Amino acid sequence: MPQPLKFQPKPLPVSIDDIGKRIANARKGNGLTQNDLAEQLGITRESVAAYESGRVRLSDEMIIRLSVALGISSDQLLGLTEIEQTHSHLSLRITRRMRELDRLPENKKKTILQVLDDLIRANS
């Protein structure tokens, strides 16, 4: 049986509860739904929701998997360093459509971008 500590450790500089918020923010910043992230990780959407809400603690392996899938370091995921804001604050809906647009052939991208430019000019 473990012995009680003689000295209490210093409080952590970050809240463990915030890990779920960082997962959700990084996921949304990457334009991913919970389902998208779950597919990348090979887990269920419900599991992603449980991690984001803090109902389930992250294992070492899941910290690594999430870091890789979200393109951030484990220190950033855990809140030990700041997550660099490389993503704009576009809505998830717009971000997903941008990713889909980027997968189209160049000629179709050019046509769609021209239509967008025309609409933006007409509404400015």
Side-chain angles (χ1 to χ4, degrees):
M1 179 178 275
Q3 296 294 319
L5 297 173
K6 290 182 182 180
F7 301 100
Q8 291 298 319
K10 291 180 184 177
L12 292 172
V14 295
S15 169
I16 292 174
D17 298 335
D18 292 339
I19 293 171
K21 291 177 188 170
R22 283 189 291 280
I23 294 168
N25 289 338
R27 172 181 59 75
K28 291 172 186 174
N30 281 301
L32 300 172
T33 63
Q34 286 182 339
N35 215 35
D36 295 334
L37 182 57
E39 286 179 20
Q40 283 188 19
L41 296 171
I43 61 176
T44 64
R45 188 208 58 79
E46 291 78 13
S47 294
V48 171
Y51 289 132
E52 289 184 359
S53 69
R55 290 189 318 262
V56 176
R57 292 230 184 220
L58 295 169
S59 68
D60 298 347
E61 180 181 349
M62 190 52 64
I63 290 170
I64 295 167
R65 289 181 183 277
L66 281 163
S67 296
V68 170
L70 296 170
I72 59 175
S73 72
S74 56
D75 281 355
Q76 290 170 319
L77 182 67
L78 296 172
L80 300 174
T81 59
E82 290 293 317
I83 296 177
E84 298 168 16
Q85 296 297 324
T86 57
H87 305 289
S88 63
H89 295 287
L90 295 174
S91 73
L92 180 58
R93 190 174 77 181
I94 291 172
T95 305
R96 291 192 70 184
R97 284 192 172 85
M98 298 280 285
R99 285 181 30 221
E100 291 170 14
L101 174 65
D102 199 41
R103 290 188 210 121
L104 293 174
E106 284 301 318
N107 62 334
K108 290 189 180 206
K109 276 192 238 184
K110 186 176 179 180
T111 302
I112 291 171
L113 291 174
Q114 182 62 51
V115 170
L116 284 173
D117 287 343
D118 292 345
L119 286 170
I120 291 168
R121 265 189 245 114
N123 289 296
S124 295

mmCIF file of all heavy atoms in Angstrom, residues 19 23 37 41 43 48 51 58 61-72 77:
data_model
loop_
_atom_site.group_PDB
_atom_site.id
_atom_site.type_symbol
_atom_site.label_atom_id
_atom_site.label_comp_id
_atom_site.label_asym_id
_atom_site.label_seq_id
_atom_site.Cartn_x
_atom_site.Cartn_y
_atom_site.Cartn_z
ATOM 1 N N ILE A 19 -7.812 20.037 -20.265
ATOM 2 C CA ILE A 19 -7.303 19.207 -21.351
ATOM 3 C C ILE A 19 -8.412 18.949 -22.374
ATOM 4 O O ILE A 19 -8.192 19.053 -23.574
ATOM 5 C CB ILE A 19 -6.714 17.881 -20.828
ATOM 6 C CG1 ILE A 19 -5.464 18.157 -20.001
ATOM 7 C CG2 ILE A 19 -6.398 16.929 -21.972
ATOM 8 C CD1 ILE A 19 -4.917 16.946 -19.263
ATOM 9 N N ILE A 23 -8.409 19.838 -26.353
ATOM 10 C CA ILE A 23 -8.672 18.854 -27.416
ATOM 11 C C ILE A 23 -9.749 19.401 -28.356
ATOM 12 O O ILE A 23 -9.584 19.388 -29.576
ATOM 13 C CB ILE A 23 -9.114 17.495 -26.835
ATOM 14 C CG1 ILE A 23 -7.980 16.850 -26.043
ATOM 15 C CG2 ILE A 23 -9.589 16.556 -27.946
ATOM 16 C CD1 ILE A 23 -8.415 15.653 -25.207
ATOM 17 N N LEU A 37 -12.309 13.035 -35.967
ATOM 18 C CA LEU A 37 -11.191 12.726 -35.075
ATOM 19 C C LEU A 37 -11.269 11.283 -34.599
ATOM 20 O O LEU A 37 -10.250 10.588 -34.550
ATOM 21 C CB LEU A 37 -11.178 13.688 -33.883
ATOM 22 C CG LEU A 37 -10.030 13.513 -32.883
ATOM 23 C CD1 LEU A 37 -8.666 13.631 -33.565
ATOM 24 C CD2 LEU A 37 -10.158 14.529 -31.757
ATOM 25 N N LEU A 41 -8.430 8.310 -34.991
ATOM 26 C CA LEU A 41 -7.869 7.644 -33.812
ATOM 27 C C LEU A 41 -8.268 6.175 -33.717
ATOM 28 O O LEU A 41 -7.693 5.430 -32.927
ATOM 29 C CB LEU A 41 -8.328 8.370 -32.543
ATOM 30 C CG LEU A 41 -7.853 9.812 -32.387
ATOM 31 C CD1 LEU A 41 -8.563 10.464 -31.203
ATOM 32 C CD2 LEU A 41 -6.345 9.870 -32.223
ATOM 33 N N ILE A 43 -11.297 5.171 -32.710
ATOM 34 C CA ILE A 43 -12.165 5.044 -31.532
ATOM 35 C C ILE A 43 -13.554 5.547 -31.904
ATOM 36 O O ILE A 43 -13.780 5.980 -33.035
ATOM 37 C CB ILE A 43 -11.603 5.825 -30.309
ATOM 38 C CG1 ILE A 43 -11.507 7.329 -30.618
ATOM 39 C CG2 ILE A 43 -10.247 5.260 -29.897
ATOM 40 C CD1 ILE A 43 -11.046 8.178 -29.435
ATOM 41 N N VAL A 48 -14.407 10.275 -28.010
ATOM 42 C CA VAL A 48 -13.875 11.629 -28.200
ATOM 43 C C VAL A 48 -14.650 12.610 -27.322
ATOM 44 O O VAL A 48 -14.062 13.453 -26.640
ATOM 45 C CB VAL A 48 -13.929 12.055 -29.682
ATOM 46 C CG1 VAL A 48 -13.577 13.532 -29.844
ATOM 47 C CG2 VAL A 48 -13.000 11.192 -30.529
ATOM 48 N N TYR A 51 -13.525 12.314 -23.744
ATOM 49 C CA TYR A 51 -12.231 12.975 -23.504
ATOM 50 C C TYR A 51 -12.419 14.487 -23.436
ATOM 51 O O TYR A 51 -11.876 15.153 -22.559
ATOM 52 C CB TYR A 51 -11.222 12.638 -24.605
ATOM 53 C CG TYR A 51 -10.724 11.217 -24.566
ATOM 54 C CD1 TYR A 51 -10.692 10.449 -25.726
ATOM 55 C CD2 TYR A 51 -10.262 10.637 -23.383
ATOM 56 C CE1 TYR A 51 -10.231 9.135 -25.705
ATOM 57 C CE2 TYR A 51 -9.796 9.326 -23.355
ATOM 58 C CZ TYR A 51 -9.786 8.588 -24.519
ATOM 59 O OH TYR A 51 -9.322 7.297 -24.496
ATOM 60 N N LEU A 58 -7.110 10.588 -19.987
ATOM 61 C CA LEU A 58 -6.303 10.178 -21.128
ATOM 62 C C LEU A 58 -5.177 9.242 -20.696
ATOM 63 O O LEU A 58 -4.489 9.515 -19.715
ATOM 64 C CB LEU A 58 -5.671 11.401 -21.793
ATOM 65 C CG LEU A 58 -6.619 12.392 -22.434
ATOM 66 C CD1 LEU A 58 -5.884 13.672 -22.798
ATOM 67 C CD2 LEU A 58 -7.240 11.789 -23.659
ATOM 68 N N GLU A 61 -0.799 6.588 -24.181
ATOM 69 C CA GLU A 61 -0.911 6.307 -25.611
ATOM 70 C C GLU A 61 -1.906 7.249 -26.280
ATOM 71 O O GLU A 61 -1.657 7.745 -27.382
ATOM 72 C CB GLU A 61 -1.350 4.857 -25.843
ATOM 73 C CG GLU A 61 -1.479 4.516 -27.306
ATOM 74 C CD GLU A 61 -1.947 3.088 -27.560
ATOM 75 O OE1 GLU A 61 -1.982 2.275 -26.619
ATOM 76 O OE2 GLU A 61 -2.289 2.802 -28.720
ATOM 77 N N MET A 62 -3.015 7.559 -25.635
ATOM 78 C CA MET A 62 -4.018 8.430 -26.243
ATOM 79 C C MET A 62 -3.512 9.869 -26.322
ATOM 80 O O MET A 62 -3.826 10.588 -27.273
ATOM 81 C CB MET A 62 -5.343 8.360 -25.475
ATOM 82 C CG MET A 62 -6.478 9.057 -26.198
ATOM 83 S SD MET A 62 -6.736 8.549 -27.929
ATOM 84 C CE MET A 62 -7.204 6.853 -27.755
ATOM 85 N N ILE A 63 -2.707 10.295 -25.364
ATOM 86 C CA ILE A 63 -2.104 11.633 -25.441
ATOM 87 C C ILE A 63 -1.249 11.727 -26.700
ATOM 88 O O ILE A 63 -1.329 12.700 -27.451
ATOM 89 C CB ILE A 63 -1.268 11.934 -24.184
ATOM 90 C CG1 ILE A 63 -2.190 12.118 -22.977
ATOM 91 C CG2 ILE A 63 -0.392 13.180 -24.393
ATOM 92 C CD1 ILE A 63 -1.479 12.178 -21.644
ATOM 93 N N ILE A 64 -0.461 10.687 -26.959
ATOM 94 C CA ILE A 64 0.389 10.672 -28.147
ATOM 95 C C ILE A 64 -0.464 10.645 -29.405
ATOM 96 O O ILE A 64 -0.236 11.415 -30.349
ATOM 97 C CB ILE A 64 1.357 9.468 -28.108
ATOM 98 C CG1 ILE A 64 2.328 9.628 -26.942
ATOM 99 C CG2 ILE A 64 2.093 9.317 -29.433
ATOM 100 C CD1 ILE A 64 3.118 8.376 -26.608
ATOM 101 N N ARG A 65 -1.477 9.775 -29.436
ATOM 102 C CA ARG A 65 -2.331 9.671 -30.625
ATOM 103 C C ARG A 65 -3.055 10.990 -30.917
ATOM 104 O O ARG A 65 -3.148 11.422 -32.062
ATOM 105 C CB ARG A 65 -3.335 8.546 -30.462
ATOM 106 C CG ARG A 65 -2.716 7.162 -30.519
ATOM 107 C CD ARG A 65 -3.777 6.072 -30.375
ATOM 108 N NE ARG A 65 -3.186 4.770 -30.354
ATOM 109 C CZ ARG A 65 -2.842 4.082 -31.451
ATOM 110 N NH1 ARG A 65 -3.063 4.601 -32.638
ATOM 111 N NH2 ARG A 65 -2.299 2.890 -31.354
ATOM 112 N N LEU A 66 -3.575 11.630 -29.874
ATOM 113 C CA LEU A 66 -4.264 12.908 -30.055
ATOM 114 C C LEU A 66 -3.300 13.983 -30.544
ATOM 115 O O LEU A 66 -3.632 14.769 -31.435
ATOM 116 C CB LEU A 66 -4.930 13.355 -28.747
ATOM 117 C CG LEU A 66 -6.244 12.667 -28.417
ATOM 118 C CD1 LEU A 66 -6.588 12.851 -26.949
ATOM 119 C CD2 LEU A 66 -7.364 13.199 -29.298
ATOM 120 N N SER A 67 -2.107 14.020 -29.985
ATOM 121 C CA SER A 67 -1.111 15.009 -30.401
ATOM 122 C C SER A 67 -0.790 14.870 -31.881
ATOM 123 O O SER A 67 -0.738 15.860 -32.612
ATOM 124 C CB SER A 67 0.176 14.862 -29.581
ATOM 125 O OG SER A 67 -0.069 15.146 -28.228
ATOM 126 N N VAL A 68 -0.589 13.642 -32.325
ATOM 127 C CA VAL A 68 -0.276 13.400 -33.736
ATOM 128 C C VAL A 68 -1.473 13.775 -34.614
ATOM 129 O O VAL A 68 -1.330 14.482 -35.615
ATOM 130 C CB VAL A 68 0.144 11.924 -33.955
ATOM 131 C CG1 VAL A 68 0.230 11.591 -35.436
ATOM 132 C CG2 VAL A 68 1.470 11.636 -33.254
ATOM 133 N N ALA A 69 -2.656 13.321 -34.237
ATOM 134 C CA ALA A 69 -3.861 13.573 -35.051
ATOM 135 C C ALA A 69 -4.181 15.062 -35.142
ATOM 136 O O ALA A 69 -4.656 15.536 -36.174
ATOM 137 C CB ALA A 69 -5.052 12.807 -34.474
ATOM 138 N N LEU A 70 -3.925 15.802 -34.060
ATOM 139 C CA LEU A 70 -4.269 17.221 -34.028
ATOM 140 C C LEU A 70 -3.120 18.123 -34.466
ATOM 141 O O LEU A 70 -3.285 19.342 -34.572
ATOM 142 C CB LEU A 70 -4.736 17.610 -32.620
ATOM 143 C CG LEU A 70 -6.017 16.916 -32.149
ATOM 144 C CD1 LEU A 70 -6.257 17.175 -30.676
ATOM 145 C CD2 LEU A 70 -7.207 17.344 -32.993
ATOM 146 N N GLY A 71 -1.941 17.528 -34.676
ATOM 147 C CA GLY A 71 -0.796 18.311 -35.130
ATOM 148 C C GLY A 71 -0.248 19.258 -34.081
ATOM 149 O O GLY A 71 0.224 20.350 -34.411
ATOM 150 N N ILE A 72 -0.343 18.862 -32.820
ATOM 151 C CA ILE A 72 0.206 19.676 -31.725
ATOM 152 C C ILE A 72 1.094 18.789 -30.863
ATOM 153 O O ILE A 72 0.998 17.569 -30.909
ATOM 154 C CB ILE A 72 -0.910 20.321 -30.868
ATOM 155 C CG1 ILE A 72 -1.821 19.261 -30.250
ATOM 156 C CG2 ILE A 72 -1.716 21.325 -31.695
ATOM 157 C CD1 ILE A 72 -2.868 19.823 -29.296
ATOM 158 N N LEU A 77 -0.974 19.916 -25.770
ATOM 159 C CA LEU A 77 -2.212 19.226 -25.416
ATOM 160 C C LEU A 77 -2.445 19.270 -23.907
ATOM 161 O O LEU A 77 -3.559 19.492 -23.446
ATOM 162 C CB LEU A 77 -2.165 17.776 -25.905
ATOM 163 C CG LEU A 77 -3.409 16.940 -25.649
ATOM 164 C CD1 LEU A 77 -4.583 17.445 -26.471
ATOM 165 C CD2 LEU A 77 -3.138 15.485 -25.968
#
